[in-house]
Amino acid sequence: MSTAQTRADGLGAPPDPRGPTARGRRSSGRAPSDPKPIVGWLFIAPNLLGVLAFTFIPLVSVILLSFTEWNLVSGFGGIDFVGLDNFLAVFQDPTFWRSLVITILYAGVAVPLTLVVGLALALALNRDIPARGLLRAAFFVPYIVNIVAIGMTWQMLLDPSAGLVNQFLGVFGLEHLPQWFASSYWALPALILVTIWSQAGYANLIYLSALQDAPTQLYEAARIDGAGRWASFRAITWPSLLPTTVFLLITLFVGISQTFGMIALITNGGPGASTTTLSFYMYQTSFQFYRFGYASAVGLVTFVGIFAIMLLMWRAQRGRALHD
Amino acid sequence: MTESTAVTGGLATGPSRSGAGTGIAERQARRRRRDRIRRWSWGVPLWILALVFLLPFAWMISTSLKPDLEAFRIPMQWIPDEPRWENYTEVLFGENSILVAFWNSVFVALLRVLGELTTATLAGYAFAKLRFPGRGKVFIAYLATSLIPAQLLLVPRFVYFQELGLYDTLWALILPGMFTVLGTFLMRQYFVSQPDEFAEAARLDGAGEFQIFSRIYLPNATSMISALAILTFVWSWNDYETPLVFLSSPETFTLPMGLTNFTDENGAMAAGLSMAAAVISIIPILLVFLVFQRRFVRAMTESALK
């Protein structure tokens, strides 16, 4: 189909790891001029050793740690093996479930809205408009700015009494202005708002590059058939963007469900744990309460959950693509 | 009728029905005008929207030029009567000078970029172009690893860095950033798309494997390499979570951490100074973005879609 299709598929279905060149050709053995096997290992060695040291060993450690009870202070001698206790405790931990609900609410609202804003912007910016390049850049800027600068700015913009946003809303004579990060009711919506603002540029960029591959001849045909704008969007544009949408859905979900910086910076999980997402809870249990074993279990359960949802989304998309 | 379609800017332009008897030149002129109206009727609202999107940055700059107390004056004054440039000199050269954090950020970013480019091009090339036993298995392991969020690894890394004496040093940020799976994957995807024939010919001529890599394939890969460099730089520059966990003393803080240093006597954020620091922290990224815009966008889409 379109290139977008193959690209998005490449995400979940790894291409043949041996690469296209390894297939079929010269299967009978090494040609005399082929490099010695050791050469390949030498080439990957620097990266492989680093990945082993900084990713693989920590990963194994976090799995091992999740079966123990340990706070750093007691030293390595203080590591107690507790079997599955941590995992049992995770599932009985009301804060864990609460954080799960908050994470789902947060990502469940922020991800689709980011997608919609990004898509709408991309469709509009794909038209012939004056200074289009500059416009595209403008919407992308929030995405590349560091989270601390963004967080501090929005914290002040959303100040309940003196912030610019409420000053603006006050112009309309609204009685009960949202209290944003100061209220446990409004903190999550405020977080969602800032998230959409900062992530929409990314969704926009990916959609724009997918629109380059849109089948233009079909639009011509649709026009001749008398199809309106909405009809041709539904019949042509949307299906051709479906793989990109699923891709964005997955990456935004993974990214947004792991949002940490803004929460740590602005709300510190509050007020009253109203913005304690799973990733922030994980941080709290490890680096504020120093319950390393338990934190590892929380982290593993969270990651497995996110991974499962990701897989489901990808499966659903694949089923649909096959159906087409 | 033509006017109304122009304003809504329909996808279906449709042949002009009214122009049956008019001359070709006149019809063309009308179409041109209609196109122009359509361009602007979409352009203007989008420009307004873009300005709203960028409003927080305007506020940031405006506040960076005000005394702390005036940041929250109602109504908001966009252009301060007396721009307080002292905020910038204070942030740059004052007590909590951000320059240390700035250089820390530069140092970390440069080493991460250098290390990442070196290890990722070598490994990516090997995965794409060199055949060796175990390649497939290692690559699958790489792919699986790429899905693990860094967050999950913070605890064990924290413990190891403490043991190794790397905690509270910049190396705690640099080292893990030099060996990434994603960078290797990006480079591999690029090298796979390159023809094998160069290597085969060079091998017959007796060239060594490293020579083939560094003299033939690497020079052709500059655009992908610069894309990876840009990506690594941006990640490194904006990283907040890793320094928050691995750094504790202000001398080692990188910029995102350094920005949180400006507080008033009550411990609350000092608006003017904080915003001046924020503006300074944004400038390098904006420059990279504006100067390398095309490559930048490519880097973003490549890393996303590969």
Side-chain angles (χ1 to χ4, degrees), chain A residues 7-8 11 14-22 25-26 29-31 33-37 39-41 43-44 46-48 50-51 54-55 57-59 61-62 65 70 72 76 117 121 124-125 127-131 133-135 137-150 152-157 159 161-164 167 196-197 200 202 205-206 209 219 223 227-229 232 247 258-261 264-265 279 282-283 286-287 290 292 295-296 299-300 303 307 310, chain B residues 8-14 38-40 42-43 46-47 49-50 52-57 59-60 72-76 78 119-120 122-123 125-136 138-140 142-143 145 147-149 151-163 175-176 178-181 184-185 188-189 192 196 200 203-204 209-210 213 234 237-238 240-241 244-245 256-257 259-260 269 271 274-275 278 281-282 285-286 289 293 296-297 300-301 304-305:
Chain A
R7 278 171 179 178
L11 171 83
D16 185 339
R18 291 161 298 165
T21 53
R25 234 165 30 87
R26 292 189 310 191
R30 291 191 330 122
S33 61
D34 264 6
K36 293 194 187 75
V39 176
W41 282 100
F43 268 71
I44 65 167
N47 194 270
L48 182 65
V51 169
F54 296 109
T55 303
I57 293 178
L59 178 67
S61 313
V62 88
L65 267 179
W70 185 41
L72 188 68
F76 287 113
V117 175
L121 282 177
L125 290 170
R127 301 174 146 270
D128 178 26
I129 40 178
L134 211 58
L135 256 183
F139 287 107
F140 191 59
V141 168
Y143 182 72
I144 56 169
V145 170
N146 72 74
I147 199 69
V148 178
I150 282 179
M152 291 194 309
T153 307
W154 276 100
Q155 195 177 2
M156 294 192 267
L157 286 173
D159 186 281
S161 51
L164 188 66
Q167 278 187 46
I196 296 168
W197 174 79
Y202 167 74
L205 184 81
I206 305 298
S209 78
Y219 289 117
R223 214 180 62 190
R229 213 147 46 99
S232 41
F247 167 80
Q258 286 171 25
T259 297
F260 169 81
L265 188 77
S279 66
M282 204 169 109
Y283 171 80
S286 38
F287 299 109
Y290 292 101
F292 281 2
S296 302
L300 280 175
F303 172 58
F307 188 70
M310 200 175 96
Chain B
T8 51
L11 182 82
T13 42
R38 181 173 305 155
R39 282 180 52 151
W40 285 100
W42 276 89
L46 272 171
W47 269 108
L49 191 64
V52 173
F53 239 74
L54 295 179
L55 213 60
F57 295 107
W59 188 88
M60 190 187 275
F72 292 109
R73 212 169 70 182
I74 301 173
M76 152 105 194
W78 283 99
T119 70
L122 279 168
Y125 176 78
F127 280 126
K129 287 280 173 268
L130 298 173
R131 297 201 301 156
F132 55 91
R135 183 174 82 166
V138 179
F139 193 68
I140 296 243
Y142 260 61
L143 281 178
T145 314
L147 296 170
I148 294 160
Q151 238 165 16
L152 189 63
L153 307 178
L154 284 179
V155 166
R157 279 182 182 169
F158 179 81
V159 175
Y160 290 132
F161 288 161
Q162 290 225 320
E163 289 303 307
L175 285 174
M178 288 170 80
F179 315 95
T180 71
V181 169
T184 304
F185 189 56
R188 177 208 174 257
Q189 293 303 88
V192 159
D196 285 331
E200 279 158 20
R203 262 174 218 143
L204 291 177
E209 286 305 317
F210 187 75
F213 162 73
V234 174
W237 194 263
N238 290 342
Y240 173 59
E241 191 168 349
L244 186 69
V245 173
M257 293 286 287
L259 297 188
T260 59
M269 189 196 318
S274 295
M275 288 299 103
S281 80
I282 293 174
I285 285 289
L286 265 190
F289 176 54
Q293 207 188 56
F296 192 100
V297 169
M300 285 290 167
T301 41
L305 298 176

Side-chain angles (χ1 to χ4, degrees), chain A:
Chain A
M1 205 187 129
S2 67
T3 40
Q5 172 78 62
T6 37
R7 278 171 179 178
D9 271 346
L11 171 83
D16 185 339
R18 291 161 298 165
T21 53
R23 247 176 304 170
R25 234 165 30 87
R26 292 189 310 191
S27 51
S28 54
R30 291 191 330 122
S33 61
D34 264 6
K36 293 194 187 75
I38 184 75
V39 176
W41 282 100
L42 283 177
F43 268 71
I44 65 167
N47 194 270
L48 182 65
L49 291 176
V51 169
L52 280 177
F54 296 109
T55 303
F56 190 71
I57 293 178
L59 178 67
V60 174
S61 313
V62 88
I63 294 173
L64 292 178
L65 267 179
S66 68
F67 297 108
T68 68
E69 195 175 307
W70 185 41
N71 61 9
L72 188 68
V73 190
S74 58
F76 287 113
I79 302 184
D80 282 330
F81 180 77
V82 294
L84 289 171
D85 281 5
N86 283 330
F87 292 95
L88 295 176
V90 167
F91 291 112
Q92 286 164 3
D93 177 356
T95 318
F96 172 81
W97 290 110
R98 193 198 155 101
S99 311
L100 177 70
V101 171
I102 290 171
T103 310
I104 290 173
L105 268 177
Y106 170 51
V109 177
V111 171
L113 286 180
T114 305
L115 268 182
V116 170
V117 175
L119 177 60
L121 282 177
L123 290 173
L125 290 170
N126 201 37
R127 301 174 146 270
D128 178 26
I129 40 178
R132 187 167 64 167
L134 211 58
L135 256 183
R136 288 180 174 183
F139 287 107
F140 191 59
V141 168
Y143 182 72
I144 56 169
V145 170
N146 72 74
I147 199 69
V148 178
I150 282 179
M152 291 194 309
T153 307
W154 276 100
Q155 195 177 2
M156 294 192 267
L157 286 173
L158 292 175
D159 186 281
S161 51
L164 188 66
V165 173
N166 275 6
Q167 278 187 46
F168 175 75
L169 293 177
V171 171
F172 300 104
L174 291 175
E175 279 293 309
H176 300 285
L177 292 174
Q179 297 299 295
W180 305 117
F181 290 120
S183 100
S184 56
Y185 181 74
W186 281 102
L188 197 59
L191 198 64
I192 291 171
L193 187 80
V194 181
T195 305
I196 296 168
W197 174 79
S198 73
Q199 300 294 311
Y202 167 74
N204 174 38
L205 184 81
I206 305 298
Y207 267 132
L208 271 173
S209 78
L211 281 173
Q212 310 301 310
D213 301 330
T216 39
Q217 333 82 289
L218 289 185
Y219 289 117
E220 203 71 17
R223 214 180 62 190
I224 291 167
D225 287 349
R229 213 147 46 99
W230 175 240
S232 41
F233 172 79
R234 273 194 40 193
I236 307 168
T237 316
W238 180 243
S240 81
L241 288 179
L242 193 64
T244 313
T245 304
V246 174
F247 167 80
L248 277 172
L249 206 61
I250 292 172
T251 49
L252 285 174
F253 176 77
V254 170
I256 288 178
S257 62
Q258 286 171 25
T259 297
F260 169 81
M262 212 150 44
I263 298 172
L265 188 77
I266 306 181
T267 68
N268 205 26
S274 60
T275 52
T276 300
T277 58
L278 281 175
S279 66
F280 190 74
Y281 184 50
M282 204 169 109
Y283 171 80
Q284 268 190 326
T285 45
S286 38
F287 299 109
Q288 287 178 1
F289 309 143
Y290 292 101
R291 297 175 62 196
F292 281 2
Y294 187 64
S296 302
V298 172
L300 280 175
V301 171
T302 305
F303 172 58
V304 169
I306 290 175
F307 188 70
I309 294 176
M310 200 175 96
L311 219 59
L312 277 178
M313 288 198 234
W314 184 70
R315 278 273 163 79
Q317 178 259 351
R318 202 171 149 200
R320 229 147 133 196
L322 289 177
H323 203 69
D324 290 344

